[in-house]
Amino acid sequence: MLTEQYTADAICSAMGLPAFIERSLPLPALRLLLMPSFDPEVCITLAGAAGDERLSVVALTESLWQQAAPRRLSAWREHVELSTDAVVHSFADFGAAVAANREVTGRIACIDGMPVEGCSITGTGVERIACHPYRPAVSGFVSKLIRLAWESCSGPGVRNGLAACARYVGVNLPPEATPPAVARSRVVILGGSDDRADLLEQLARRGEPV
C-alpha cells in the first residue's frame, strides 16, 4: 500500500469505524491505534462518563498495510465495561505521553517497529499524538493500555491481536488458541445503519470476526 494511503482514518474505515476522531463517541473518549509492521492493526477505545465507561477493541484479522489499497477487512471485536479508576489513569498516561512527545530529543530514525496514533476527545477539544513509542512515557502509556485491554477482554482473537502488538513495546502476553478458520461468504445487509450495527454486534458476541 502507498504510504500516503495508510492513514488513521483509512485503518479505522477498514475496521468498520466511522473515523479515527469519532465525534459520536460518548465523552470523554480516548483512542489508541496500533500499527505494527508485521502484524494486523488494532484499535483500543475508552469512552463514557464516570460510572458508564466502556472499553472496545477492534483487531483486524489481516494487516491493512499489506493490502494493495485501502479496503474493509474482517476483524475481531469486543466491548466491555471498565472501572473509573482505570479510565482516569489511562487519560493521565496519555497526557504524559503527549507532553513527552513534544520534547526535542534530536533526530531519530525508526525503521519498522510499531507506529501509534492516539487522541483524546473531550468537551474542550481534541488532543492528538502520532509517533513511534520509543520515549519511556509514550511506551509506558501504550504498554499499559494494551495490558488493560488484554486483561479486560476474553475473546482469543482480540487478546492475540493485542498480544502481538504488545511485543513491539517489550511486553510478553501469552497467546491463546483460536477457533479454526471457516469458509466465509460476503453478504449485503439490507436495511438501515441500525440494522447493520445490530447484526455485527450479535456476530461479535458469538466470537465471530466481522
Side-chain angles (χ1 to χ4, degrees):
M1 179 179 296
L2 296 175
T3 303
E4 57 266 27
Q5 295 177 304
Y6 191 65
T7 65
D9 282 334
I11 298 168
C12 287
S13 178
M15 294 175 169
L17 300 173
F20 175 64
I21 299 176
E22 193 174 335
R23 303 286 183 175
S24 61
L25 287 171
L27 300 183
L30 177 65
R31 172 164 283 172
L32 177 64
L33 189 59
L34 306 166
M35 299 167 281
S37 296
F38 306 107
D39 292 282
E41 296 82 357
V42 175
C43 183
I44 305 171
T45 305
L46 310 182
D52 191 30
E53 299 98 332
R54 296 189 65 82
L55 176 146
S56 64
V57 179
V58 182
L60 290 178
T61 60
E62 55 184 315
S63 172
L64 179 65
W65 172 245
Q66 303 298 329
Q67 309 301 311
R71 66 185 183 92
R72 176 69 188 272
L73 298 172
S74 64
W76 301 100
R77 303 171 188 275
E78 192 158 349
H79 308 273
V80 297
E81 295 181 354
L82 206 59
S83 71
T84 298
D85 284 347
V87 174
V88 169
H89 290 150
S90 295
F91 270 89
D93 290 338
F94 177 74
V98 170
N101 192 54
R102 291 177 179 148
E103 297 175 1
V104 179
T105 56
R107 298 182 63 184
I108 296 177
C110 295
I111 301 176
D112 295 326
M114 183 176 68
V116 301
E117 291 204 31
C119 67
S120 69
I121 311 170
T122 66
T124 59
V126 176
E127 194 159 33
R128 190 165 179 170
I129 186 174
C131 62
H132 279 260
Y134 63 87
R135 292 182 174 88
V138 181
S139 178
F141 161 66
V142 172
S143 60
K144 287 179 184 178
L145 191 54
I146 290 175
R147 185 177 289 277
L148 173 65
W150 187 86
E151 291 175 347
S152 301
C153 294
S154 59
V158 164
R159 284 163 66 92
N160 285 345
L162 290 164
C165 292
R167 292 194 293 269
Y168 291 81
V169 286
V171 177
N172 292 316
L173 300 172
E176 298 191 12
T178 56
V182 297
R184 299 186 180 278
S185 301
R186 294 188 179 275
V187 298
V188 175
I189 302 172
L190 301 178
S193 58
D194 290 343
D195 298 319
R196 179 178 182 278
D198 180 62
L199 176 59
L200 293 178
E201 183 178 355
Q202 291 184 49
L203 291 173
R205 287 177 180 173
R206 294 178 54 189
E208 298 285 345
V210 294

